[in-house]
Amino acid sequence: MQYHPVICYDEVMLRAVIFDMDGLLIDTEQYWWQAEYKAFSSVGVELTKEQLCSTMGMRMDEIVAHWAAIFTEVSFDAFEVIERTYGHMIDFVWTKGQAMPGALEAVNVCSHAGLKLAIASSSYPVLIEAVVEKLDITGYFPVRCSAKDELRGKPDPAVYLSAAQSLGVAPHECLAIEDSAIGLESALSAGMPCIVVPDSEVFDDVRFGAALMKLRSLTEFNDEKLRAIAADLNAPQALEFT
């Protein structure tokens, strides 16, 4: 299915940047696959790499419900799978977690431009807090929103809309940065322009064509790139680099 942006870039003021977390700020995607594989395998559900990739960006309870509806012959406790998955993930964050290349620099660029910052993640609050502490970026993100607190997770726009509201800005005044097609759809549905930094395995996914910009890595994101994005959004006056 081809997604199309539903936002208008005319007369937009850029005031904030909202970051996804997993696979964008911290190198967790491959460990999510491992954690989910271990947790599901422990209850008799064997998932392939392709199946694990297909739910990237979704909220964990919705992932569990998705596979429960498919593997109807297997009975398991959803709470147990979620707890085991997050147990594996938190252990990984504290023992091996590392910032994605260019992630901390990108956060600094946006902060120095005077933009408000937030995290809008499908992960539960306990993992978000572990990540921001591990990467020492708590002070950059006064607003940290989890899709767990919404009625629906990504691709529903709720978590992005909550982040914008908490920042005190309109959704169209925010730039979203994502790494998944599901996250991109969520941001666009919220009315936000979005740049994507997909994993190399899915970089050519046609759904990313709806993004404002596609990057191979956040190492490509710098002051000049942000100024260009702001210019595209007709908002250069919003940036006051310090």
Side-chain angles (χ1 to χ4, degrees), residues 91-103:
D91 180 65
F92 160 73
V93 166
W94 286 116
T95 58
K96 299 180 182 179
Q98 295 184 10
M100 291 292 288

Side-chain angles (χ1 to χ4, degrees), residues 198-209 214 216:
D199 184 89
S200 59
E201 292 189 19
V202 294
F203 189 83
D204 294 324
D205 189 321
V206 296
R207 291 175 293 176
F208 292 126
K214 183 167 68 168
R216 289 281 180 184

